[in-house]
Amino acid sequence: MLAPLFHSLAVTAYSYTTTTTTSSSSSLSSTFWVTYFAVIFVVAIFAIIAMWKVFTKAGKPGWASIVPIYNSWVTFEIGGKPGWWALLGLIPFVNFIVIILVIMAYVEISKRFGKSPWFAVLLIFLIGWFILAFGKAKYNNPEAPLGQAAPTGPVASPLVGAAPQNTDQQPPTPPAAPTNLVQ
């Protein structure tokens, strides 16, 4: 007669412990996900800032770092690759090849900033973007005309009415004296 009573108490105690455990793990799970997304958001903001500075060092618009597909396009261009390679990432099953293309562009970006090709590993893990952005590395554009560095900021327009500047960087040579003088 007492057996059903003890059995119902045991079931009630068991269900009570399982519900408290479930609600506890539920709050733990939601805390994990909120923290996870907060960390991802902060890392993304810092990555955008670093890419902005690297883009401006390379003579590209910094705002391109916040436009999703265009920032990949500009990254390929900085690496000396065709920008349209970024569009290949939108095609199913072809987008796996884009991983190899991105690594190739990162290796070239490393070289253009005067770093080792192994520096591309740091670019993959975002650390390299911070080093390039806040370090002393200068962008060397091999496609620029010889003797001309890549633009580092807005291009200044020439002053109206200003005297023309000597662009070949050599002083003008005086005319040669005649060699056959009559005496």
Side-chain angles (χ1 to χ4, degrees), residues 10-168:
V11 169
T12 306
Y14 177 74
S15 65
Y16 177 73
T17 57
T18 57
T19 56
T20 56
T21 314
T22 305
S23 66
S24 172
S25 67
S26 166
S27 67
L28 179 66
S29 175
S30 65
T31 304
F32 168 77
W33 287 112
V34 168
T35 306
Y36 175 77
F37 285 118
V39 167
I40 294 295
F41 180 74
V42 169
V43 168
I45 294 297
F46 282 119
I48 288 171
I49 292 170
M51 287 183 79
W52 188 301
K53 290 189 66 84
V54 170
F55 284 8
T56 55
K57 278 185 174 184
K60 300 290 183 180
W63 57 265
S65 64
I66 59 176
V67 181
I69 296 171
Y70 186 58
N71 68 5
S72 298
W73 187 292
V74 171
T75 302
F76 279 119
E77 286 181 345
I78 290 173
K81 308 298 180 202
W84 61 267
W85 282 6
L87 300 178
L88 294 175
L90 301 174
I91 302 171
F93 302 111
V94 176
N95 53 9
F96 293 112
I97 298 171
V98 175
I99 296 170
I100 297 168
L101 300 177
V102 167
I103 292 171
M104 290 171 43
Y106 282 2
V107 167
E108 189 62 31
I109 289 172
S110 301
K111 290 178 185 177
R112 290 181 179 206
F113 275 97
K115 304 289 184 184
S116 164
W118 288 101
F119 189 78
V121 174
L122 294 178
L123 289 175
I124 292 170
F125 291 110
L126 297 178
I127 298 167
W129 291 101
F130 294 104
I131 294 170
L132 293 180
F134 302 108
K136 295 180 181 179
K138 303 276 187 217
Y139 182 71
N140 180 19
N141 187 1
E143 294 154 3
L146 192 61
Q148 179 181 356
T152 57
V155 179
S157 62
L159 298 174
V160 176
Q165 296 180 1
N166 188 2
T167 57
D168 59 348

